[in-house]
Amino acid sequence: MTDLVPACDPPRIPVRGGGTFPVRRIYCVGRNFADHAREMGAQAPASPEARGRPVFFGKPADALVLDGQVPYPPATSELHHEVELTVAIGRDAASGVLEPDRALDLVLGYGIGLDLTRRDLQAQAKAAGLPWDIAKGFDHSAPVSELLPAAGLDLRQSTLSLEVNGNLRQSARLDQMIWSVADILHELSKLYRLRAGDLVLMGTPAGVAALAPGDRCHARLDDLLSLDCVILPALT
Ligand code: MN
């Protein structure tokens, strides 16, 4: 049978050292740094035992931005940056729950990304008890860097940061995450079967704030990775 519309080609993230990572799904983690949970008016867990369940949401794969060019999105006047670690899944998980001590075996590489958010629409959705989709999963809402191969890499002591127009807005060490990468893959596997091509955005530290057309974002993970993007005027 002939396709009646053009088939969508998956976005492909470059991997340092060669090759690309075609993206199947994007999973996102909410409230994974206590200081950000508090700045959003949510409670941070008092202890690791009290952390409950992580907050998950998604973005469509075609929300990825690979060239750093983000048109200011429609229907918002409060576009916020959230700098996050990205985790690229390189192998299909077996069916069933993935044990935390085996979870990192699935990881192909790590990168950094921005979980761009229409904060005004998210606040309205929260107040009305409605889903977050229109606040999170819009076009151009996920600029990402290249991926670093995971082999031999331990990022727990690494610092994730974001500057906007040269001013530091967000900075945190990755060991401050409430849920580690292994914890998150374990929790996701209770809900979904993880597959090669899945990308996970791990949640943001405090300091989220508004972006305007013309703003330049520069995100870094130590001296290992960087991501530059610019907010362009809204498309007309
Ligand atoms: Mn986020």
Side-chain angles (χ1 to χ4, degrees):
M1 298 286 274
T2 306
D3 287 341
L4 297 182
V5 300
C8 296
D9 213 18
R12 291 179 167 82
I13 304 176
V15 179
R16 192 179 299 175
T20 62
F21 179 79
V23 178
R24 187 185 83 116
R25 291 187 182 171
I26 305 174
Y27 296 109
C28 301
V29 183
R31 298 176 196 158
N32 202 19
F33 285 85
D35 55 358
H36 173 62
R38 285 190 287 267
E39 79 178 344
M40 297 306 297
Q43 283 198 325
S47 69
E49 296 72 36
R51 62 188 180 173
R53 281 191 206 163
V55 175
F56 290 120
F57 59 93
K59 293 185 190 253
D62 68 358
L64 287 175
V65 174
L66 299 167
D67 66 358
Q69 311 262 309
V70 177
Y72 197 90
T76 185
S77 54
E78 198 179 17
L79 175 70
H80 271 202
H81 55 74
E82 297 191 356
V83 68
E84 312 203 353
L85 177 71
T86 65
V87 181
I89 303 299
R91 295 200 282 118
D92 289 353
S95 60
V97 176
L98 183 63
E99 290 311 315
D101 61 352
R102 303 303 310 277
L104 298 185
D105 296 348
L106 296 185
V107 177
L108 176 143
Y110 297 98
I112 48 181
L114 296 180
D115 165 18
L116 294 176
T117 302
R118 289 160 161 160
R119 192 70 72 201
D120 41 3
L121 297 192
Q122 188 194 30
Q124 291 165 21
K126 284 181 179 176
L130 293 172
W132 294 5
D133 300 50
I134 61 171
K136 290 290 195 178
F138 53 92
D139 297 342
H140 309 288
S141 60
V144 291
S145 72
E146 66 174 333
L147 295 167
L148 267 184
L153 208 55
D154 181 349
L155 298 175
R156 284 173 291 185
Q157 310 280 315
S158 294
T159 297
L160 180 66
S161 64
L162 176 72
E163 292 178 0
V164 178
N165 303 327
N167 301 310
L168 186 66
R169 292 266 188 99
Q170 297 188 265
S171 179
R173 256 177 41 174
L174 292 177
D175 59 5
Q176 293 170 13
M177 291 193 294
I178 295 168
W179 301 85
S180 70
V181 174
D183 291 340
I184 285 297
L185 300 185
H186 169 67
E187 292 294 328
L188 271 172
S189 75
K190 298 176 181 175
L191 299 165
Y192 309 98
R193 186 165 173 191
L194 290 166
R195 300 275 190 178
D198 291 343
L199 189 72
V200 184
L201 271 63
M202 285 293 299
T204 199
V208 301
L211 293 166
D215 282 350
R216 292 186 172 275
C217 298
H218 176 68
R220 282 179 46 194
L221 185 65
D222 291 339
D223 292 324
L224 297 169
L225 277 168
S226 65
L227 166 66
D228 287 282
C229 72
V230 60
I231 308 300
L232 303 175
L235 299 173
T236 51

PDB file of all heavy atoms in Angstrom, residues 28-32 36 57 59 81-84 114-117 119 122 132 136 201-205 208, ligand 1:
ATOM      1  N   CYS A  28       9.667  13.125  30.216  1.00  0.00           N
ATOM      2  CA  CYS A  28      10.192  14.215  31.046  1.00  0.00           C
ATOM      3  C   CYS A  28       9.846  13.959  32.503  1.00  0.00           C
ATOM      4  O   CYS A  28       8.794  13.406  32.815  1.00  0.00           O
ATOM      5  CB  CYS A  28       9.583  15.551  30.634  1.00  0.00           C
ATOM      6  SG  CYS A  28       9.882  16.027  28.929  1.00  0.00           S
ATOM      7  N   VAL A  29      10.752  14.407  33.385  1.00  0.00           N
ATOM      8  CA  VAL A  29      10.580  14.274  34.836  1.00  0.00           C
ATOM      9  C   VAL A  29      10.315  15.652  35.412  1.00  0.00           C
ATOM     10  O   VAL A  29      11.040  16.603  35.099  1.00  0.00           O
ATOM     11  CB  VAL A  29      11.854  13.699  35.485  1.00  0.00           C
ATOM     12  CG1 VAL A  29      11.650  13.494  36.988  1.00  0.00           C
ATOM     13  CG2 VAL A  29      12.269  12.400  34.806  1.00  0.00           C
ATOM     14  N   GLY A  30       9.287  15.759  36.243  1.00  0.00           N
ATOM     15  CA  GLY A  30       9.006  17.024  36.937  1.00  0.00           C
ATOM     16  C   GLY A  30       9.551  16.982  38.355  1.00  0.00           C
ATOM     17  O   GLY A  30       9.738  15.899  38.927  1.00  0.00           O
ATOM     18  N   ARG A  31       9.828  18.138  38.922  1.00  0.00           N
ATOM     19  CA  ARG A  31      10.173  18.261  40.360  1.00  0.00           C
ATOM     20  C   ARG A  31      11.266  17.298  40.790  1.00  0.00           C
ATOM     21  O   ARG A  31      11.102  16.579  41.781  1.00  0.00           O
ATOM     22  CB  ARG A  31       8.929  18.003  41.215  1.00  0.00           C
ATOM     23  CG  ARG A  31       7.824  18.987  40.962  1.00  0.00           C
ATOM     24  CD  ARG A  31       6.588  18.625  41.777  1.00  0.00           C
ATOM     25  NE  ARG A  31       5.425  19.336  41.267  1.00  0.00           N
ATOM     26  CZ  ARG A  31       4.167  18.943  41.468  1.00  0.00           C
ATOM     27  NH1 ARG A  31       3.910  17.857  42.173  1.00  0.00           N
ATOM     28  NH2 ARG A  31       3.171  19.644  40.971  1.00  0.00           N
ATOM     29  N   ASN A  32      12.394  17.313  40.090  1.00  0.00           N
ATOM     30  CA  ASN A  32      13.471  16.392  40.474  1.00  0.00           C
ATOM     31  C   ASN A  32      14.593  17.077  41.237  1.00  0.00           C
ATOM     32  O   ASN A  32      15.580  16.445  41.583  1.00  0.00           O
ATOM     33  CB  ASN A  32      14.013  15.668  39.244  1.00  0.00           C
ATOM     34  CG  ASN A  32      14.711  14.375  39.619  1.00  0.00           C
ATOM     35  OD1 ASN A  32      14.505  13.851  40.711  1.00  0.00           O
ATOM     36  ND2 ASN A  32      15.553  13.882  38.732  1.00  0.00           N
ATOM     37  N   HIS A  36      13.850  23.576  43.025  1.00  0.00           N
ATOM     38  CA  HIS A  36      12.898  23.939  41.960  1.00  0.00           C
ATOM     39  C   HIS A  36      11.470  23.586  42.373  1.00  0.00           C
ATOM     40  O   HIS A  36      10.540  24.350  42.111  1.00  0.00           O
ATOM     41  CB  HIS A  36      13.249  23.248  40.639  1.00  0.00           C
ATOM     42  CG  HIS A  36      12.220  23.457  39.571  1.00  0.00           C
ATOM     43  ND1 HIS A  36      11.908  24.716  39.072  1.00  0.00           N
ATOM     44  CD2 HIS A  36      11.390  22.590  38.932  1.00  0.00           C
ATOM     45  CE1 HIS A  36      10.955  24.594  38.156  1.00  0.00           C
ATOM     46  NE2 HIS A  36      10.610  23.321  38.055  1.00  0.00           N
ATOM     47  N   PHE A  57       5.828  13.453  32.495  1.00  0.00           N
ATOM     48  CA  PHE A  57       4.993  13.944  31.393  1.00  0.00           C
ATOM     49  C   PHE A  57       5.782  13.713  30.118  1.00  0.00           C
ATOM     50  O   PHE A  57       6.871  13.130  30.162  1.00  0.00           O
ATOM     51  CB  PHE A  57       4.589  15.417  31.599  1.00  0.00           C
ATOM     52  CG  PHE A  57       5.737  16.379  31.725  1.00  0.00           C
ATOM     53  CD1 PHE A  57       6.244  17.043  30.632  1.00  0.00           C
ATOM     54  CD2 PHE A  57       6.327  16.604  32.965  1.00  0.00           C
ATOM     55  CE1 PHE A  57       7.304  17.920  30.747  1.00  0.00           C
ATOM     56  CE2 PHE A  57       7.398  17.486  33.105  1.00  0.00           C
ATOM     57  CZ  PHE A  57       7.878  18.150  31.992  1.00  0.00           C
ATOM     58  N   LYS A  59       6.807  14.859  25.794  1.00  0.00           N
ATOM     59  CA  LYS A  59       6.807  15.784  24.653  1.00  0.00           C
ATOM     60  C   LYS A  59       6.867  14.914  23.407  1.00  0.00           C
ATOM     61  O   LYS A  59       7.466  13.835  23.434  1.00  0.00           O
ATOM     62  CB  LYS A  59       8.030  16.706  24.665  1.00  0.00           C
ATOM     63  CG  LYS A  59       8.097  17.705  25.804  1.00  0.00           C
ATOM     64  CD  LYS A  59       9.297  18.632  25.629  1.00  0.00           C
ATOM     65  CE  LYS A  59       9.529  19.483  26.858  1.00  0.00           C
ATOM     66  NZ  LYS A  59       9.159  20.904  26.672  1.00  0.00           N
ATOM     67  N   HIS A  81      12.615  28.911  30.584  1.00  0.00           N
ATOM     68  CA  HIS A  81      13.683  27.929  30.363  1.00  0.00           C
ATOM     69  C   HIS A  81      13.746  26.977  31.542  1.00  0.00           C
ATOM     70  O   HIS A  81      13.514  27.375  32.691  1.00  0.00           O
ATOM     71  CB  HIS A  81      15.032  28.625  30.190  1.00  0.00           C
ATOM     72  CG  HIS A  81      15.412  29.540  31.322  1.00  0.00           C
ATOM     73  ND1 HIS A  81      15.836  29.080  32.551  1.00  0.00           N
ATOM     74  CD2 HIS A  81      15.426  30.895  31.397  1.00  0.00           C
ATOM     75  CE1 HIS A  81      16.104  30.109  33.327  1.00  0.00           C
ATOM     76  NE2 HIS A  81      15.845  31.230  32.664  1.00  0.00           N
ATOM     77  N   GLU A  82      14.083  25.705  31.255  1.00  0.00           N
ATOM     78  CA  GLU A  82      14.403  24.709  32.288  1.00  0.00           C
ATOM     79  C   GLU A  82      15.557  23.888  31.734  1.00  0.00           C
ATOM     80  O   GLU A  82      15.366  23.096  30.813  1.00  0.00           O
ATOM     81  CB  GLU A  82      13.206  23.787  32.562  1.00  0.00           C
ATOM     82  CG  GLU A  82      11.977  24.499  33.107  1.00  0.00           C
ATOM     83  CD  GLU A  82      10.898  23.537  33.610  1.00  0.00           C
ATOM     84  OE1 GLU A  82      11.077  22.304  33.466  1.00  0.00           O
ATOM     85  OE2 GLU A  82       9.884  24.030  34.135  1.00  0.00           O
ATOM     86  N   VAL A  83      16.750  24.067  32.253  1.00  0.00           N
ATOM     87  CA  VAL A  83      17.895  23.300  31.750  1.00  0.00           C
ATOM     88  C   VAL A  83      17.906  21.925  32.421  1.00  0.00           C
ATOM     89  O   VAL A  83      17.640  21.812  33.618  1.00  0.00           O
ATOM     90  CB  VAL A  83      19.225  24.061  31.966  1.00  0.00           C
ATOM     91  CG1 VAL A  83      19.599  24.181  33.443  1.00  0.00           C
ATOM     92  CG2 VAL A  83      20.343  23.413  31.180  1.00  0.00           C
ATOM     93  N   GLU A  84      18.182  20.884  31.637  1.00  0.00           N
ATOM     94  CA  GLU A  84      18.054  19.515  32.150  1.00  0.00           C
ATOM     95  C   GLU A  84      19.107  18.595  31.520  1.00  0.00           C
ATOM     96  O   GLU A  84      19.533  18.805  30.384  1.00  0.00           O
ATOM     97  CB  GLU A  84      16.659  18.954  31.833  1.00  0.00           C
ATOM     98  CG  GLU A  84      15.559  19.965  32.212  1.00  0.00           C
ATOM     99  CD  GLU A  84      14.187  19.420  32.467  1.00  0.00           C
ATOM    100  OE1 GLU A  84      13.979  18.214  32.240  1.00  0.00           O
ATOM    101  OE2 GLU A  84      13.329  20.217  32.908  1.00  0.00           O
ATOM    102  N   LEU A 114      16.827  21.830  26.952  1.00  0.00           N
ATOM    103  CA  LEU A 114      15.940  22.782  27.623  1.00  0.00           C
ATOM    104  C   LEU A 114      14.516  22.244  27.509  1.00  0.00           C
ATOM    105  O   LEU A 114      14.062  21.931  26.404  1.00  0.00           O
ATOM    106  CB  LEU A 114      16.013  24.170  26.963  1.00  0.00           C
ATOM    107  CG  LEU A 114      17.346  24.904  27.036  1.00  0.00           C
ATOM    108  CD1 LEU A 114      17.242  26.263  26.328  1.00  0.00           C
ATOM    109  CD2 LEU A 114      17.771  25.115  28.487  1.00  0.00           C
ATOM    110  N   ASP A 115      13.855  22.119  28.664  1.00  0.00           N
ATOM    111  CA  ASP A 115      12.428  21.790  28.688  1.00  0.00           C
ATOM    112  C   ASP A 115      11.695  23.127  28.666  1.00  0.00           C
ATOM    113  O   ASP A 115      11.349  23.676  29.710  1.00  0.00           O
ATOM    114  CB  ASP A 115      12.124  20.968  29.952  1.00  0.00           C
ATOM    115  CG  ASP A 115      10.637  20.880  30.255  1.00  0.00           C
ATOM    116  OD1 ASP A 115       9.822  21.139  29.348  1.00  0.00           O
ATOM    117  OD2 ASP A 115      10.306  20.542  31.414  1.00  0.00           O
ATOM    118  N   LEU A 116      11.505  23.672  27.455  1.00  0.00           N
ATOM    119  CA  LEU A 116      10.831  24.982  27.353  1.00  0.00           C
ATOM    120  C   LEU A 116       9.360  24.813  27.728  1.00  0.00           C
ATOM    121  O   LEU A 116       8.707  23.828  27.364  1.00  0.00           O
ATOM    122  CB  LEU A 116      10.985  25.557  25.949  1.00  0.00           C
ATOM    123  CG  LEU A 116      12.422  25.913  25.566  1.00  0.00           C
ATOM    124  CD1 LEU A 116      12.491  26.397  24.116  1.00  0.00           C
ATOM    125  CD2 LEU A 116      13.003  26.977  26.505  1.00  0.00           C
ATOM    126  N   THR A 117       8.863  25.788  28.467  1.00  0.00           N
ATOM    127  CA  THR A 117       7.554  25.655  29.128  1.00  0.00           C
ATOM    128  C   THR A 117       6.751  26.942  28.971  1.00  0.00           C
ATOM    129  O   THR A 117       7.276  28.031  29.219  1.00  0.00           O
ATOM    130  CB  THR A 117       7.774  25.373  30.637  1.00  0.00           C
ATOM    131  OG1 THR A 117       8.548  24.179  30.769  1.00  0.00           O
ATOM    132  CG2 THR A 117       6.453  25.230  31.375  1.00  0.00           C
ATOM    133  N   ARG A 119       4.764  28.793  30.888  1.00  0.00           N
ATOM    134  CA  ARG A 119       4.467  28.751  32.316  1.00  0.00           C
ATOM    135  C   ARG A 119       3.064  29.254  32.620  1.00  0.00           C
ATOM    136  O   ARG A 119       2.407  28.756  33.546  1.00  0.00           O
ATOM    137  CB  ARG A 119       5.506  29.580  33.090  1.00  0.00           C
ATOM    138  CG  ARG A 119       5.446  29.361  34.599  1.00  0.00           C
ATOM    139  CD  ARG A 119       5.934  27.970  35.000  1.00  0.00           C
ATOM    140  NE  ARG A 119       7.373  27.853  34.844  1.00  0.00           N
ATOM    141  CZ  ARG A 119       8.031  26.697  34.729  1.00  0.00           C
ATOM    142  NH1 ARG A 119       7.373  25.540  34.741  1.00  0.00           N
ATOM    143  NH2 ARG A 119       9.333  26.678  34.569  1.00  0.00           N
ATOM    144  N   GLN A 122       0.754  26.460  31.981  1.00  0.00           N
ATOM    145  CA  GLN A 122       0.922  25.403  32.981  1.00  0.00           C
ATOM    146  C   GLN A 122       0.231  25.801  34.294  1.00  0.00           C
ATOM    147  O   GLN A 122      -0.434  24.967  34.922  1.00  0.00           O
ATOM    148  CB  GLN A 122       2.404  25.127  33.233  1.00  0.00           C
ATOM    149  CG  GLN A 122       2.618  23.906  34.125  1.00  0.00           C
ATOM    150  CD  GLN A 122       4.035  23.793  34.661  1.00  0.00           C
ATOM    151  OE1 GLN A 122       4.722  24.788  34.866  1.00  0.00           O
ATOM    152  NE2 GLN A 122       4.481  22.570  34.874  1.00  0.00           N
ATOM    153  N   TRP A 132      -0.965  18.923  31.493  1.00  0.00           N
ATOM    154  CA  TRP A 132       0.052  19.942  31.189  1.00  0.00           C
ATOM    155  C   TRP A 132       0.416  20.007  29.708  1.00  0.00           C
ATOM    156  O   TRP A 132       1.270  20.796  29.328  1.00  0.00           O
ATOM    157  CB  TRP A 132       1.352  19.625  31.929  1.00  0.00           C
ATOM    158  CG  TRP A 132       1.306  19.708  33.398  1.00  0.00           C
ATOM    159  CD1 TRP A 132       0.212  19.950  34.200  1.00  0.00           C
ATOM    160  CD2 TRP A 132       2.427  19.566  34.280  1.00  0.00           C
ATOM    161  NE1 TRP A 132       0.595  19.933  35.512  1.00  0.00           N
ATOM    162  CE2 TRP A 132       1.948  19.706  35.598  1.00  0.00           C
ATOM    163  CE3 TRP A 132       3.791  19.320  34.069  1.00  0.00           C
ATOM    164  CZ2 TRP A 132       2.791  19.619  36.707  1.00  0.00           C
ATOM    165  CZ3 TRP A 132       4.622  19.231  35.171  1.00  0.00           C
ATOM    166  CH2 TRP A 132       4.132  19.384  36.470  1.00  0.00           C
ATOM    167  N   LYS A 136       3.699  22.110  27.758  1.00  0.00           N
ATOM    168  CA  LYS A 136       4.991  21.432  27.664  1.00  0.00           C
ATOM    169  C   LYS A 136       5.314  20.882  26.279  1.00  0.00           C
ATOM    170  O   LYS A 136       6.469  20.887  25.867  1.00  0.00           O
ATOM    171  CB  LYS A 136       5.011  20.267  28.669  1.00  0.00           C
ATOM    172  CG  LYS A 136       5.057  20.692  30.130  1.00  0.00           C
ATOM    173  CD  LYS A 136       6.409  21.294  30.493  1.00  0.00           C
ATOM    174  CE  LYS A 136       6.619  21.379  31.993  1.00  0.00           C
ATOM    175  NZ  LYS A 136       7.969  21.917  32.334  1.00  0.00           N
ATOM    176  N   LEU A 201      14.275  13.537  29.753  1.00  0.00           N
ATOM    177  CA  LEU A 201      14.716  14.822  30.303  1.00  0.00           C
ATOM    178  C   LEU A 201      14.515  14.754  31.812  1.00  0.00           C
ATOM    179  O   LEU A 201      13.401  14.491  32.284  1.00  0.00           O
ATOM    180  CB  LEU A 201      13.913  15.986  29.695  1.00  0.00           C
ATOM    181  CG  LEU A 201      14.477  16.594  28.403  1.00  0.00           C
ATOM    182  CD1 LEU A 201      14.498  15.583  27.273  1.00  0.00           C
ATOM    183  CD2 LEU A 201      13.685  17.829  27.987  1.00  0.00           C
ATOM    184  N   MET A 202      15.600  14.985  32.547  1.00  0.00           N
ATOM    185  CA  MET A 202      15.662  14.562  33.952  1.00  0.00           C
ATOM    186  C   MET A 202      15.173  15.588  34.968  1.00  0.00           C
ATOM    187  O   MET A 202      15.272  15.337  36.157  1.00  0.00           O
ATOM    188  CB  MET A 202      17.110  14.186  34.281  1.00  0.00           C
ATOM    189  CG  MET A 202      17.539  12.852  33.717  1.00  0.00           C
ATOM    190  SD  MET A 202      16.680  11.450  34.490  1.00  0.00           S
ATOM    191  CE  MET A 202      17.206  11.636  36.193  1.00  0.00           C
ATOM    192  N   GLY A 203      14.660  16.726  34.552  1.00  0.00           N
ATOM    193  CA  GLY A 203      14.161  17.699  35.516  1.00  0.00           C
ATOM    194  C   GLY A 203      15.179  18.802  35.759  1.00  0.00           C
ATOM    195  O   GLY A 203      16.379  18.630  35.543  1.00  0.00           O
ATOM    196  N   THR A 204      14.674  19.952  36.223  1.00  0.00           N
ATOM    197  CA  THR A 204      15.490  21.162  36.264  1.00  0.00           C
ATOM    198  C   THR A 204      15.721  21.657  37.675  1.00  0.00           C
ATOM    199  O   THR A 204      14.867  21.475  38.547  1.00  0.00           O
ATOM    200  CB  THR A 204      14.797  22.272  35.426  1.00  0.00           C
ATOM    201  OG1 THR A 204      15.747  23.287  35.095  1.00  0.00           O
ATOM    202  CG2 THR A 204      13.632  22.914  36.172  1.00  0.00           C
ATOM    203  N   PRO A 205      16.886  22.299  37.920  1.00  0.00           N
ATOM    204  CA  PRO A 205      17.107  22.953  39.208  1.00  0.00           C
ATOM    205  C   PRO A 205      16.396  24.313  39.286  1.00  0.00           C
ATOM    206  O   PRO A 205      15.757  24.736  38.322  1.00  0.00           O
ATOM    207  CB  PRO A 205      18.624  23.127  39.259  1.00  0.00           C
ATOM    208  CG  PRO A 205      19.091  23.080  37.854  1.00  0.00           C
ATOM    209  CD  PRO A 205      18.064  22.327  37.057  1.00  0.00           C
ATOM    210  N   VAL A 208      14.369  28.920  37.198  1.00  0.00           N
ATOM    211  CA  VAL A 208      13.610  29.048  35.945  1.00  0.00           C
ATOM    212  C   VAL A 208      13.079  30.474  35.832  1.00  0.00           C
ATOM    213  O   VAL A 208      12.728  31.098  36.829  1.00  0.00           O
ATOM    214  CB  VAL A 208      12.460  28.019  35.866  1.00  0.00           C
ATOM    215  CG1 VAL A 208      13.014  26.599  35.959  1.00  0.00           C
ATOM    216  CG2 VAL A 208      11.397  28.250  36.925  1.00  0.00           C
TER     217      VAL A 208
HETATM  218 MN    MN B   1      11.329  20.303  33.256  1.00  0.00          MN
END
